[in-house]
Amino acid sequence: MLSAFLTTSIFTSWIQDGLIWAGFENARVWIAPLFFVMLLIPLICISLLVLIAFSTVPAILNALSRQPQYQDLERRRGGGMIRGFFYALWSALICLALVLLTLPIWWMPPLVAVLPPLLWGWLTMRLMSYDVLAKHASSEERDLLLEKYRWPLLLMGIASGMLGAVPTFFWATSALALVLFPIVSFIALWIYSLIFVFAALWFSHFLLGALKDLRQEELEKSLTVETRVIESELPYHG
């Protein structure tokens, strides 16, 4: 069905015509499996990232909370599970829409190595940042941290996305990966899981440390204000 759609639809027939023009006369044989794999890659990545954000990040945070540098960090619970679910669902739908809009240009060699890291990086940043701060930070603190560290967090997400693009690039360029797709997909899922768990650890350490610094700054500011107030109330002995 997909092969028929790619060869008969006026929206996609240009792909095969372009490949035939470039010298790939047998494109009809492998273009449908390749397109099918390229459709599955975003679905697998997005669903796996959401799953790890809900299952692994809480376990990582519980482990980090027992470490000395984070034991005294108060949990202000600025985000609930229901709100987090809709936030993750909305972020995943936006990412999936961007994938579908940009999928036609994924066939261009430079973009297949650029667009996936950007998309996975943006989604990683949104999901990891929210889930890491959901229990420990208030909503105001979360907004302050996301505003202050927007670009470092995005760069962290893109770096994680670039690591995730390695199996994506292998799937998209290897004919053997298409033939052995059921086996290769399990290996790629394992690689994706390792990368996303690494991203969860990275974001957790970074954001919990940033939250600790933010509260220390607020405490110092409040102490400074109280000291000034006390000094202003003391009698002046000229």
Side-chain angles (χ1 to χ4, degrees), residues 10 12 23 26 43 52 65 67 70-71 98 114 131 135 137 159 167-168 176 199 203 212 215 218 230:
I10 60 174
T12 57
N26 297 324
L43 293 176
I52 288 178
S65 299
Q67 295 186 3
Y70 302 125
Q71 279 183 347
L98 292 174
V114 175
D131 290 336
K135 289 184 178 180
T168 302
L176 183 62
F203 275 83
K212 187 176 180 180
R215 290 180 180 175
E218 292 177 349
I230 293 174

Side-chain angles (χ1 to χ4, degrees), residues 78-100:
M81 181 177 294
I82 297 178
R83 184 178 177 183
F85 171 77
F86 284 107
Y87 182 86
L89 180 62
W90 177 245
S91 301
L93 290 176
I94 293 176
C95 185
L96 185 59
L98 292 174
V99 167
L100 293 177

